[in-house]
Amino acid sequence: MNTNEKIENLKNELEVKLKNVTCMKELTDLKVEYLGKKGYVTELSSLMKDLSVEEKKAFGKSLNELRNYVEEKISFLKEKLEEAELNMKLERESIDITLPATKLSVGITHPLTKIINDIEDLFISMGYDVVEGPEVENDLYNFELLNVPVGHPARDMQDSLFINEEILMRTQTSSVQVRTMLQNKEKSPIRIICPGKVYRKDDDDATHSHEFHQIEGLVVDKDVSMNHLKGTLEILAKKMFGENREIRFRPSYFPFTEPSVEVDVSCFKCNGEGCNICKGTGWIEVLGAGMVHPNVLKGCGYDPKKYMGYAFGVGVERIAMLKYEIPDIREFYTNDMRFLEQFNVIEGGDSNESK
Ligand code: PHE
């Protein structure tokens, strides 16, 4: 067999072998079989040394052509195989879009947080600042400077959790108001609300919790009257219980305000006709308020002859229980999703808003 025939033979054999290749591995092996160090093409080139110069030239050219031919054939098949492999992979990975999706549970804003957020937004829109303070408080700020000295009977109104003689869990966020007045060195006007947790030595039952939330408001300025207080609380009542609400003041007593009032809102369920919620009276007690006692102003460095102010305090749980007719305060703290998820519906699904 002369060299040309050998080359032709190799080509024909390659053609047959290529047809039998089924995977990349086989193709790589075939490449080595032809073009590797001990491959057919290399083997063939060893014949070179026995040839004349003329023959060498022609043979060299044919060998190069053979090498290119083999390479081309192999890389052509390689591309085909890669394509087929990719198609197979895509086929294997195809997803069934008719399968039901995994259910993701999305969190909702807790009803108490929602009420606090709404009240904060309302007061921010009226130019108030939101101020927070510590829950572990000094007696000085929780009682003393609020005109409730040691031995004052009003201390019994708020059964307190004392940590030692001086330190207690705050019973009211009024302590933040005292701190704000003291910190205000220029003794300039103040307009704040203070939301937060407060603590009382109560046995937990359907209407009592040793821990609950309050929002207290304080305005101190030169010309502040009971009228301003009433107007402000009317806006708050409407925001909480609806546009048609009215409020009324009833005389009351708090040591830190004089005069003091309990504030009732006209019943949002029966519109004042009398129902189970308002216990037939048409009115529901919602908060306490009053004009800041001169002793409190004085104690916090404000001259009561120049300055006056009003303050109010509202229990967040109480508002939520009334608004959503929740019979047991403990529902707020057990984090039962079946309870909490209802508020997403009540708020028209907007309670996912980020704050
Ligand atoms: N701090 C009072 C309470 O916890 C509420 C209140 C605040 C009353 C401000 C009047 C003025 O009961």
Side-chain angles (χ1 to χ4, degrees):
M1 215 192 293
N2 70 22
T3 48
N4 279 343
E5 278 168 359
K6 280 189 180 159
I7 287 175
E8 256 340 282
N9 257 358
L10 280 182
K11 279 187 180 174
N12 292 339
E13 273 171 33
L14 177 69
E15 213 59 56
V16 177
K17 286 183 177 167
L18 281 172
K19 284 209 176 88
N20 292 330
V21 166
T22 55
C23 67
M24 261 330 197
K25 164 93 174 68
E26 284 172 18
L27 187 64
T28 318
D29 290 349
L30 194 61
K31 193 173 177 183
V32 175
E33 196 180 326
Y34 274 78
L35 302 175
K37 263 190 200 152
K38 291 178 185 157
Y40 301 135
V41 181
T42 324
E43 211 173 77
L44 204 58
S45 49
S46 67
L47 299 176
M48 188 77 92
K49 58 183 186 311
D50 303 326
L51 297 177
S52 69
V53 178
E54 255 337 276
E55 283 168 332
K56 270 185 185 164
K57 236 179 170 178
F59 184 55
K61 197 173 163 218
S62 309
L63 267 183
N64 269 346
E65 273 168 13
L66 174 64
R67 192 177 288 279
N68 288 343
Y69 178 85
V70 175
E71 265 169 8
E72 230 169 74
K73 286 277 172 189
I74 286 182
S75 73
F76 179 74
L77 187 61
K78 186 173 173 225
E79 247 171 61
K80 285 256 170 285
L81 280 178
E82 277 171 352
E83 204 181 295
E85 250 169 49
L86 180 66
N87 283 340
M88 257 163 63
K89 198 170 166 210
L90 289 177
E91 187 102 346
R92 244 185 291 125
E93 286 176 359
S94 70
I95 48 165
D96 181 355
I97 55 165
T98 62
L99 281 175
T102 323
K103 205 172 166 232
L104 294 177
S105 62
V106 179
I108 54 152
T109 310
H110 193 282
L112 296 178
T113 310
K114 170 83 180 143
I115 287 180
I116 293 173
N117 288 345
D118 286 350
I119 295 181
E120 281 182 6
D121 287 349
L122 174 71
F123 280 95
I124 288 170
S125 78
M126 296 196 286
Y128 286 61
D129 288 327
V130 177
V131 186
E132 290 182 350
E135 288 170 27
V136 180
E137 190 51 286
N138 202 301
D139 182 281
L140 183 69
Y141 304 127
N142 194 85
F143 285 131
E144 197 77 24
L145 287 171
L146 283 163
N147 202 28
V148 190
V150 177
H152 193 290
R155 285 190 180 220
D156 293 342
M157 286 163 70
Q158 299 180 356
D159 286 322
S160 321
L161 289 160
F162 273 92
I163 290 166
N164 61 31
E165 291 261 305
E166 253 176 74
I167 311 287
L168 74 161
M169 301 305 290
R170 70 177 175 196
T171 60
Q172 48 192 355
T173 49
S174 316
S175 53
V176 186
Q177 309 180 345
V178 171
R179 285 174 172 273
T180 308
M181 284 190 274
L182 286 171
Q183 271 162 21
N184 188 332
K185 295 277 178 270
E186 299 107 57
K187 300 300 160 200
S188 54
I190 287 176
R191 209 177 287 136
I192 55 166
I193 56 162
C194 316
K197 265 191 250 173
V198 297
Y199 301 82
R200 308 262 169 108
K201 206 168 68 198
D202 259 332
D203 288 332
D204 293 353
D205 62 23
T207 51
H208 294 87
S209 170
H210 63 281
E211 180 183 326
F212 59 99
H213 298 76
Q214 253 188 358
I215 300 181
E216 297 213 3
L218 171 73
V219 169
V220 177
D221 208 333
K222 292 205 166 120
D223 246 325
V224 180
S225 75
M226 203 85 168
N227 264 347
H228 296 127
L229 173 63
K230 194 161 186 187
T232 306
L233 294 181
E234 204 169 87
I235 293 170
L236 174 62
K238 286 180 193 294
K239 171 84 180 176
M240 289 291 93
F241 296 109
E243 266 314 299
N244 296 328
R245 300 284 59 82
E246 287 169 24
I247 59 166
R248 73 174 185 192
F249 280 1
R250 270 182 300 110
S252 184
Y253 172 77
F254 297 105
F256 29 83
T257 46
E258 180 58 37
S260 302
V261 290
E262 298 279 2
V263 183
D264 295 342
V265 62
S266 59
C267 183
F268 53 89
K269 193 174 182 194
C270 63
N271 266 324
E273 276 168 28
C275 68
N276 61 324
I277 293 202
C278 59
K279 301 198 183 78
T281 64
W283 294 94
I284 308 168
E285 183 189 319
V286 283
L287 52 96
M291 300 306 291
V292 180
H293 197 290
N295 286 353
V296 176
L297 290 171
K298 212 189 300 164
C300 296
Y302 278 83
D303 180 353
K305 290 207 182 73
K306 284 195 202 142
Y307 276 100
M308 40 196 137
Y310 62 75
F312 54 89
V314 43
V316 181
E317 278 82 348
R318 178 158 169 76
I319 299 286
M321 286 171 82
L322 287 168
K323 195 169 163 165
Y324 303 130
E325 291 190 52
I326 297 164
D328 195 323
I329 193 169
R330 291 167 292 198
E331 295 285 8
F332 293 119
Y333 316 120
T334 46
N335 286 331
D336 184 335
M337 286 309 286
R338 291 167 304 176
F339 169 76
L340 294 174
E341 274 166 355
Q342 302 171 89
F343 298 95
N344 213 19
V345 181
I346 291 171
E347 299 304 335
D350 71 340
S351 49
N352 280 323
E353 77 220 322
S354 51
K355 270 275 154 191

